[in-house]
Amino acid sequence: KSTLALASTDEDKSILEGLSQTLENVNKSLEKFRFADAADALYHFMWDELAAKYIEYVKDAENKKNSLEILLFVYGNCLRMLHPFMPFITEAIWEVFEGNDDLLALSDWPKFD
């Protein structure tokens, strides 16, 4: 079952849409070599949407298993996007995730179809 199919609440759908929009903004900024804009988009998504809203929502979510899966998906993709800016920190965090035997630097760049 895909992570996108797990999005059953408005909050789940909103965070996935936000991730998709952030990825698009980061990609556009990086293509134009506007690294500060890419980092700023990531910062605001992770702080304003992921930390301030979605993590708080997950604490009391009715279907916590699905929401935690979505949270891990979103966080993992954020780490991938942050890696060019903070390689040592993101690599250290990546190692903590269960099932990540490879280096973050070797993982695929996030994409949504």
Side-chain angles (χ1 to χ4, degrees):
K1 196 172 191 180
S2 79
T3 302
L4 298 175
L6 294 174
S8 59
T9 66
D10 289 341
E11 290 84 357
D12 295 338
K13 291 173 186 169
S14 177
I15 198 68
L16 291 171
E17 288 170 7
L19 176 65
S20 178
Q21 185 63 50
T22 301
L23 175 60
E24 186 178 320
N25 292 341
V26 168
N27 284 338
K28 285 180 182 178
S29 295
L30 291 177
E31 287 171 7
K32 295 176 184 176
F33 301 100
R34 299 189 56 91
F35 304 114
D37 291 345
D40 191 56
L42 276 166
Y43 169 80
H44 284 289
F45 172 72
M46 291 187 76
W47 185 259
D48 300 338
E49 301 301 320
L50 186 62
K53 294 178 185 172
Y54 194 70
I55 290 176
E56 294 303 317
Y57 159 76
V58 171
K59 290 177 184 178
D60 298 319
E62 195 171 301
N63 193 344
K64 193 171 277 204
K65 184 177 185 257
N66 280 0
S67 296
L68 284 172
E69 240 180 277
I70 291 170
L71 175 60
L72 289 174
F73 173 80
V74 171
Y75 192 66
N77 279 291
C78 287
L79 284 176
R80 287 179 179 94
M81 288 188 279
L82 272 175
H83 190 68
F85 303 99
M86 308 167 64
F88 299 106
I89 294 169
T90 54
E91 201 68 63
I93 295 169
W94 185 258
E95 288 177 8
V96 176
F97 277 114
E98 188 176 316
N100 288 335
D101 298 330
D102 294 331
L103 295 172
L104 176 58
L106 300 177
S107 70
D108 292 334
W109 186 256
K111 63 181 173 187
F112 288 98
D113 295 332

